[in-house]
Amino acid sequence: MSALATATDLVHTTTLAAATNENLANISNTLIYSAMAVYTLAFFTYIAEWTFGSRSKISRTAAALTAKPAGAAGAKAPEVTVKNAGGTAVLERPKVVVRAAAGARDVPDGPGAHGGDEQGDLYGRIAVSLTVVAFLVEFAGVLARALSVQRAPWGNMYEFNLTFSTTAVGVYLVFLALKKDIRWLGLPLVTSVLLDLGLAVTVLYTASDQLVPALHSYWLYIHVSTAILCGAVFYVGAVATILYLFKDSYENKLASGGKPGTFATSVMERLPASASLDKFSYRVNAAVFPLWTFTIIAGAIWAGDAWGRYWGWDPKETWAFITWVAYATYLHARATAGWKGRKAAYIALIAFACFLFNYYGVNIFVSGKHSYAGV
């Protein structure tokens, strides 16, 4: 009877644990959908920030940059004068220098997505608050998923997607907490997070399950967590790089006497100067590159423990190395005079594309020892 009672208690305990894990998985799913709803509200509020932001300061800046030289047909009188000993001295309009030619432009940063307007700034603050709420709800969903499987929540692509998007938003909020003026990143970030979560819950969703034997290692926490953090920072750098290319083209058009459209002017003049965007993207990529190097080394050590060899040119290993080479090339290009600016930016985007292919393409379409997509 004692043995039978013990067996019965074991079955009851196992059943109760399974029910608890299932409930936690359901709670996780509910929290993820709730986070998506809050992110959607943040998305529309960020749009409101851009829409209702005042264009008065923007139009004055654009007019100053596109004003014709004195004496030219249709030229306007200069707006800035200085009285000097009873006379009037005219301050010449600063000449805009093309980055490729002289290495820098004397262009100020824009006022931000709110355009210097109080109403636009209010919408921006509300959007950031909603982003914080959505981040906390999504983080709770990731934590519930981890508790339901009793392991790190990145054993398949569904879990990786959830953790990656949470970390990307976390990186953005950390920059804001450090008083970095990057609220212009909010709209593209929330947009991509919504797309990422939509892909996760529709295409990549995988029910809670245990890991394959090769993943049962403390290196899972070290290697994959650093890979997620690197990807989140690389993403922030990629968005800044894309915006830099648009802003650089806009400034080139102004410098050559062109007149951009109203929409382009409204958006581009609120962003930081191309030099600021270029510097920001370079700094974040350079800062996280050593961690990406450590990620590859940690993966090699884990492979040695799991498969008895440190490097086997598995597709995931190969593309991780290709990504490393691409970012190393970008950092080298930024230090080379002839490759600064747009050329280096293109290399940075190629490097991030390699990271994305390593994440999506290799996991889904290529078979190998790292085939843990679960889809």
Side-chain angles (χ1 to χ4, degrees):
M1 291 293 294
S2 177
L4 179 60
T6 302
T8 302
D9 290 341
L10 181 61
V11 171
H12 177 72
T13 302
T14 303
T15 303
L16 181 62
T20 302
N21 292 341
E22 184 177 356
N23 289 336
L24 286 171
N26 292 334
I27 292 173
S28 173
N29 295 339
T30 301
L31 289 170
I32 295 303
Y33 279 106
S34 300
M36 293 177 66
V38 182
Y39 276 129
T40 302
L41 292 177
F43 169 77
F44 285 113
T45 314
Y46 278 119
I47 290 180
E49 178 187 18
W50 282 91
T51 302
F52 294 102
S54 171
R55 299 181 182 180
S56 58
K57 292 183 180 181
I58 296 168
S59 61
R60 287 200 298 270
T61 304
L65 292 174
T66 56
K68 297 181 180 180
K76 297 180 180 179
E79 297 182 6
V80 182
T81 59
V82 176
K83 293 182 179 180
N84 184 13
T88 302
V90 178
L91 296 182
E92 295 183 358
R93 181 175 60 90
K95 184 178 181 181
V96 179
V97 181
V98 179
R99 174 182 303 278
R105 287 196 187 95
D106 186 16
V107 178
D109 290 339
H114 55 81
D117 179 75
E118 291 185 4
Q119 185 180 21
D121 183 62
L122 175 63
Y123 279 114
R125 293 177 183 275
I126 294 173
V128 171
S129 300
L130 289 171
T131 304
V132 172
V133 173
F135 167 77
L136 294 175
V137 174
E138 186 181 10
F139 179 81
V142 173
L143 181 60
R145 176 74 178 198
L147 294 174
S148 72
V149 294
Q150 299 179 2
R151 56 168 173 78
W154 44 70
N156 50 60
M157 283 194 67
Y158 170 71
E159 296 171 356
F160 193 99
N161 261 43
L162 298 184
T163 310
F164 176 80
S165 60
T166 305
T167 306
V169 176
V171 169
Y172 167 67
L173 295 178
V174 167
F175 275 119
L176 291 179
L178 294 175
K179 307 301 182 182
K180 303 296 182 182
D181 188 15
I182 63 165
R183 208 162 72 191
W184 43 266
L185 184 64
L187 182 57
L189 174 68
V190 169
T191 302
S192 58
V193 165
L194 281 171
L195 293 174
D196 180 74
L197 292 177
L199 179 66
V201 299
T202 56
V203 178
L204 302 177
Y205 179 77
T206 305
S208 300
D209 199 1
Q210 294 304 310
L211 297 174
V212 296
L215 294 182
H216 284 285
S217 171
Y218 61 87
W219 284 105
L220 173 68
Y221 296 89
I222 300 173
H223 172 65
V224 183
S225 63
T226 54
I228 292 173
L229 178 59
C230 289
V233 179
F234 282 148
Y235 166 77
V236 171
V239 173
T241 300
I242 292 172
L243 293 177
Y244 156 73
L245 289 173
F246 280 110
K247 188 62 182 282
D248 187 64
S249 295
Y250 174 80
E251 291 177 2
N252 279 337
K253 191 169 186 178
L254 291 178
S256 62
K259 186 176 181 181
T262 303
F263 178 78
T265 300
S266 176
V267 174
M268 291 294 111
E269 287 297 334
R270 303 193 205 186
L271 294 175
S274 62
S276 299
L277 290 169
D278 185 37
K279 183 185 298 183
F280 175 77
S281 61
Y282 168 68
R283 286 180 174 177
V284 296
N285 286 327
V288 80
F289 180 73
L291 187 60
W292 180 248
T293 304
F294 169 78
T295 301
I296 296 177
I297 295 173
I301 296 173
W302 187 9
D305 290 343
W307 301 315
R309 69 1 170 229
Y310 293 102
W311 195 269
W313 295 105
D314 181 79
K316 176 72 71 173
E317 298 168 348
T318 301
W319 277 96
F321 179 69
I322 291 174
T323 303
W324 184 91
V325 170
Y327 273 108
T329 304
Y330 162 71
L331 296 178
H332 178 71
R334 285 292 274 101
T336 305
W339 282 84
K340 286 183 178 180
R342 299 184 67 87
K343 292 181 180 179
Y346 292 137
I347 298 175
L349 293 182
I350 292 173
F352 186 66
C354 292
F355 176 87
L356 289 180
F357 181 78
N358 190 31
Y359 173 34
Y360 287 104
V362 173
N363 281 358
I364 296 176
F365 303 112
V366 182
S367 297
K369 288 182 175 295
H370 291 80
S371 300
Y372 305 132
V375 295

